[in-house]
Amino acid sequence: MRGLLRRLCAPVFTDIRECSDGIEAVAAFDLQQPDVVLMDIAMPRQDGLAATASIMARSPTARVIVLSQHDDASFRQAAKQAGATAFVSKFDLQPLRQLLGFKDVVISVPPSGSPPRPSIS
């Protein structure tokens, strides 16, 4: 998933950083002040919801988009309560296109359950 997101964002963003856990994500946010944060929920040491809440407490205007395979109402509500700008399911990345302002990238998820691959249209 990280590779897909990196390839998807590379044409639009000049600096892309990856973090392995929530604590690292908060520290990177403090240091870099990025335009947007793509945050997973399931991460070691500190989960993405706690990291999102921490980022939003530091910077209420931050744009944090939660991406997760945990796609049910309770996770969506928890992301909203943490202050996330939006919640996007890893099983349907199309809303991410719109949230990031992409106009020419179509994301398709093969039915076999293999990782999604971006294609240019």
Side-chain angles (χ1 to χ4, degrees):
M1 182 59 67
R2 282 185 183 195
L4 167 68
L5 292 172
R6 180 173 280 284
R7 287 188 309 272
L8 177 68
C9 294
V12 178
F13 296 107
T14 57
D15 189 16
I16 300 171
R17 306 287 172 116
E18 294 181 24
C19 300
S20 60
D21 60 54
I23 292 170
E24 190 179 321
V26 173
F29 179 86
D30 288 343
L31 184 64
Q32 301 296 322
Q33 296 292 306
D35 295 322
V36 66
V37 175
L38 302 180
M39 183 77 74
D40 197 352
I41 290 178
M43 292 190 292
R45 296 201 308 158
Q46 183 182 54
D47 68 51
L49 297 173
T52 296
S54 184
I55 288 170
M56 297 309 295
R58 289 165 160 74
S59 181
T61 60
R63 289 183 61 205
V64 179
I65 300 170
V66 172
L67 293 165
S68 183
Q69 67 181 357
H70 305 289
D71 187 16
D72 62 49
S74 65
F75 284 103
R76 288 178 179 273
Q77 183 61 30
K80 183 177 179 180
Q81 287 177 337
T85 304
F87 181 99
V88 176
S89 169
K90 287 182 179 179
F91 299 109
D92 179 13
L93 295 176
Q94 289 297 340
L96 185 60
R97 264 182 77 216
Q98 195 169 33
L99 288 165
L100 297 178
F102 296 156
K103 293 179 174 69
D104 61 351
V105 177
V106 175
I107 304 165
S108 61
V109 180
S112 67
S114 57
R117 294 174 295 157
S119 60
I120 305 300
S121 65

